[in-house]
Amino acid sequence: MSAPNRSESPTQHDAAGAPRAPSAAAAPPAAAASSAAAPASPPAASAGAGAGAGGATAAPFPADFLWGTATAAYQIEGAAAEDGRGPSVWDVFSNTPGKTFEGHTGNVACDHYHRYKEDFALLAELGVKSYRFSVSWTRVLPEGTGKVNPKGLDFYDRLVDELLRLGIVPMCTLFHWDFPQALQDRGGFLQRDVAEWFADYTTIVAKRLGDRVPWWVTQNEPQAFIGNALLDGNFAPGLKLPYREYLTAAHNQMRAHGKQVDALRAAARGAKVGYVLATQVQRPATEDPGDVEAAREAIFSVYDRHPWNNAWWIAPVLEGRYPESGLRLFGDDMPEFPESDFDEIKRPLDYLGLNMYSAGTWRRGKDGRPERVASPPGYPRATLDWLQVVPSTLYWGSRFFWERYKLPIGITEHGTATRDQVFLDGKVHDPQRIDLMHRYLLGLARAVKEGVPVLGYWAWSLLDNFEWAEGYKERFGLVYVDYQTQRRIPKDSFSWYRDVVATNGRSLLGPTAVAWDNVTG
């Protein structure tokens, strides 16, 4: 938080952001507030989070709210060539010189494959109700199709059974980017057969785990494993396809999702099935209705020829069509495909998973069209440049998607990267992470109070881990990992989040020196 002028007493705010009477002297002068050019967050006084007139009186989240954490197989498991596991595109990519930060690989990662019981003991200490993990496709099917590796399925059997023994509800992500290299060699997402490859793999896993895993994710963040991987070339397999081929890959990816949904319905009766976006949240500059509608239009539009939008990746899945804004923009680059493909892609879902970290800001321009508002110089951000600190992100993201699609919302990832270290006292202090999560969760509490059905919140991540092309440079975990010794050290944020879970969010409430959505002073 910003420090007030020491000669003055700051205005006090409750957790909902409403100002309280200052305890002495005057509030900070207007000059200390955000620059007029800065995008405005929603008025703090409207951001109720369950606080009564005299303070925190009720939990701001429902009693069955799923507090959890999330991880992904390639980022934590290690054991890359053990017990019959085959290579994924990420194995090949990260072991290719120059592809990742300082040549880091996921060969060992957090060694979770051998240490999952130790890691799940930390989950139990944290007190979470749920854990989101992903399955390594090539641990189950080393060649992507064909012969099943029994040792791979046995590992996930043990993993799920240990979670259930601890009273933790599993959420299984079937695909979190680690596509089999053998299938990439056969054309990957450019082949229409990829939909059947996904379906067959999904059936195998669902038949094995479906009697114990209630929550499922078909695919995680297509913008990343299609756009960043096949168009921009920054992620495995590192291709820069012509635009028409990129759009073909995206189309087949969504066909694969639809086939996965059907496979889950057939093999895991009662499964709750969702699809997870790398959600590009757009928020209004103010709560003026014109700005709100501008942000709403932006969040469901394709406004540039890059992968980082929502509409291209969700409209076919839930509406059975491509968005007109994208069709106009892509023009002759659009591939040809049978109209009946939309019947495969659009399948009923039980919830929508939103991975949300930051937000853009929009207002209604003088010409009546949505207009992006630039952040002022020096606006706070995490160690990853794209991760600006925008506390209202979870509020606007969950609200806009609920209003459009009427599906329950799961916050399937949220967190931040910081450059953590072990301090002289032997502990890992991460106040920026605590403050960011606190603010964002107050925004989420506002959405819940306004009637958005939010199923749960899965913090990214339980452990520091292999952060894809960034290697081990960025640390997202609630638990610090010394990659040389594999020692785990719970950070300050671990204890803080444990209190949030134990109180169902009550610990978030109470007076603060600044409003929850004010990060610039």
Side-chain angles (χ1 to χ4, degrees):
M1 298 181 184
S2 300
N5 187 314
R6 63 182 179 182
S7 65
E8 298 161 342
S9 176
T11 301
Q12 296 293 306
H13 295 75
D14 65 21
R20 305 176 69 197
S23 56
S34 302
S35 163
S41 293
S46 69
T57 58
F61 296 93
D64 59 353
F65 193 77
L66 290 172
W67 294 102
T69 66
T71 63
Y74 189 73
Q75 294 182 270
I76 67 168
E77 282 183 3
E82 290 188 41
D83 289 341
R85 181 184 178 274
S88 74
V89 292
W90 270 98
D91 293 284
V92 175
F93 186 81
S94 67
N95 282 276
T96 301
K99 297 298 186 181
T100 64
F101 177 75
E102 294 185 346
H104 296 172
T105 77
N107 295 351
V108 177
C110 305
D111 196 30
H112 179 73
Y113 186 77
H114 300 109
R115 300 170 184 265
Y116 71 93
K117 287 189 176 181
E118 174 187 351
D119 294 335
F120 288 176
L122 289 167
L123 277 180
E125 181 182 345
L126 193 56
V128 293
K129 296 181 179 180
S130 181
Y131 175 68
R132 179 181 172 221
F133 69 98
S134 80
V135 172
S136 167
W137 187 332
T138 57
R139 202 176 288 287
V140 174
L141 288 163
E143 296 296 320
T145 61
K147 186 177 180 180
V148 173
N149 175 29
K151 290 184 178 180
L153 284 176
D154 289 347
F155 169 68
Y156 294 108
D157 252 343
R158 296 193 301 271
L159 186 151
V160 168
D161 285 346
E162 182 68 8
L163 289 172
L164 295 175
R165 187 185 71 80
L166 295 169
I168 298 169
V169 177
M171 173 183 275
C172 178
T173 300
L174 286 158
F175 183 70
H176 198 132
W177 306 6
D178 44 355
F179 191 68
Q181 182 62 44
L183 298 185
Q184 181 61 35
D185 293 341
R186 293 165 61 180
F189 286 96
L190 292 178
Q191 300 299 316
R192 288 183 63 85
D193 287 347
V194 73
E196 297 300 333
W197 298 340
F198 266 87
D200 292 345
Y201 156 65
T202 297
T203 297
I204 290 166
V205 176
K207 283 185 174 179
R208 187 65 172 262
L209 304 180
D211 60 331
R212 287 157 291 156
V213 175
W215 295 92
W216 295 82
V217 173
T218 56
Q219 301 170 13
N220 181 82
E221 297 187 342
Q223 299 101 314
F225 70 80
I226 297 295
N228 218 5
L230 303 181
L231 179 66
D232 297 336
N234 298 319
F235 283 177
L239 304 183
K240 295 184 179 181
L241 296 176
Y243 216 86
R244 187 181 181 90
E245 291 187 9
Y246 149 68
L247 293 176
T248 297
H251 184 77
N252 287 333
Q253 165 263 315
M254 286 182 274
R255 289 181 54 246
H257 154 79
K259 293 286 190 180
Q260 287 183 278
V261 175
D262 290 345
L264 282 165
R265 301 290 187 210
R269 302 288 183 181
K272 298 177 178 67
V273 181
Y275 174 73
V276 171
L277 287 176
T279 314
Q280 306 303 295
V281 179
Q282 313 300 340
R283 62 160 181 170
T286 72
E287 291 204 12
D288 177 87
D291 289 349
V292 172
E293 289 310 306
R296 190 194 312 276
E297 184 176 339
I299 202 171
F300 296 116
S301 295
V302 181
Y303 45 82
D304 207 344
R305 286 175 64 91
H306 58 62
W308 303 109
N309 66 80
N310 305 302
W312 197 255
W313 312 93
I314 196 64
V317 167
L318 294 179
E319 301 175 38
R321 65 177 184 87
Y322 280 115
E324 290 298 323
S325 56
L327 292 173
R328 288 193 300 269
L329 191 62
F330 301 149
D332 291 341
D333 285 324
M334 277 299 298
E336 296 180 0
F337 54 85
E339 190 68 18
S340 59
D341 281 1
F342 288 121
D343 295 330
E344 294 181 350
I345 294 170
K346 184 186 176 185
R347 313 304 297 147
L349 294 178
D350 300 299
Y351 71 97
L352 184 59
L354 302 179
N355 293 354
M356 296 191 283
Y357 291 89
S358 191
T361 305
W362 294 75
R363 65 188 172 204
R364 182 67 67 190
K366 292 181 180 179
D367 61 358
R369 301 173 62 185
E371 177 180 88
R372 185 185 286 276
V373 179
S375 298
Y379 190 84
R381 65 184 69 221
T383 54
L384 286 165
D385 287 343
W386 57 265
L387 208 167
Q388 290 193 332
V389 181
V390 184
S392 59
T393 295
L394 302 188
Y395 170 72
W396 288 110
S398 58
R399 171 180 160 176
F400 282 152
F401 275 90
W402 161 245
E403 288 175 346
R404 186 177 183 96
Y405 292 118
K406 300 302 181 184
L407 280 173
I409 301 297
I411 312 303
T412 38
E413 283 185 26
H414 172 254
T416 191
T418 55
R419 300 286 171 80
D420 299 320
Q421 68 184 61
V422 179
F423 283 67
L424 286 171
D425 61 2
K427 299 178 181 179
V428 180
H429 305 293
D430 55 342
Q432 283 93 346
R433 178 172 291 107
I434 292 171
D435 188 73
L436 180 144
M437 292 176 69
H438 190 159
R439 291 169 181 269
Y440 279 58
L441 283 170
L442 287 174
L444 185 63
R446 178 187 176 190
V448 170
K449 184 176 182 181
E450 293 180 6
V452 178
V454 182
L455 301 169
Y457 170 92
W458 287 264
W460 187 269
S461 179
L462 173 64
L463 304 170
D464 290 338
N465 55 58
F466 177 77
E467 185 51 34
W468 307 112
E470 299 291 340
Y472 298 103
K473 178 176 64 173
E474 306 294 343
R475 292 180 177 269
F476 273 90
L478 299 172
V479 176
Y480 179 91
V481 177
D482 180 340
Y483 298 111
Q484 282 65 55
T485 66
Q486 293 297 338
R487 181 187 177 200
R488 275 74 161 139
I489 304 175
K491 304 176 188 178
D492 288 353
S493 58
F494 180 96
S495 300
W496 172 85
Y497 188 51
R498 180 177 58 203
D499 291 343
V500 172
V501 173
T503 64
N504 202 22
R506 289 185 184 88
S507 62
L508 299 167
L509 307 178
T512 59
V514 297
W516 67 277
D517 55 354
N518 175 10
V519 295
T520 59

